[in-house]
Amino acid sequence: MITNEPNASPPAVLIAVKVVPGARSDALAGVLGDRLKIRVSAPPEGGRANRAVCELIARALGLRANAVTVATGMTNPEKVIRAVGVDADRARTLLLGEPGSTAARDS
């Protein structure tokens, strides 16, 4: 679900996500199978939902918005997100709320 990108410098992770656009609010909604489920209020038109997903993940990881991009699945609800400047262990802690996380989770 969250893996270090091989040979990335600076460090980067790849995050498998399932996006639910048009939701009531933006939120990390837990794990769905082997993906992180993400709800965003933006519609899946004109790339708005993709931008909302990247902004939500960037906030959760404490990164600049431009450090998070859609690597694959631009027009598919199942995507791989690339985040530069964080490793997989830290991303798991912040996104999945593993013990020791100090990140505020969106509800």
Side-chain angles (χ1 to χ4, degrees), residues 7-67:
N7 305 317
S9 180
V13 294
L14 299 173
I15 307 162
V17 301
K18 167 72 164 86
V19 179
V20 179
R24 219 176 298 184
S25 62
D26 295 352
L28 302 175
V31 176
L32 180 66
D34 63 346
R35 295 181 176 273
L36 175 63
K37 185 175 180 181
I38 299 178
R39 293 189 311 253
V40 293
S41 57
E45 300 160 352
R48 289 188 282 180
N50 287 339
R51 282 191 297 277
V53 167
C54 291
E55 289 168 4
L56 179 62
I57 290 175
R59 275 194 315 271
L61 295 176
L63 300 172
R64 294 181 329 271
N66 66 356

Side-chain angles (χ1 to χ4, degrees), residues 74-99:
M74 288 296 288
T75 60
N76 191 318
E78 293 188 350
K79 304 176 185 303
V80 175
I81 305 296
R82 182 174 188 260
V84 177
V86 65
D87 66 26
D89 289 336
R90 181 77 175 143
R92 278 188 211 97
T93 298
L94 294 172
L95 295 174
L96 302 177
E98 292 179 352

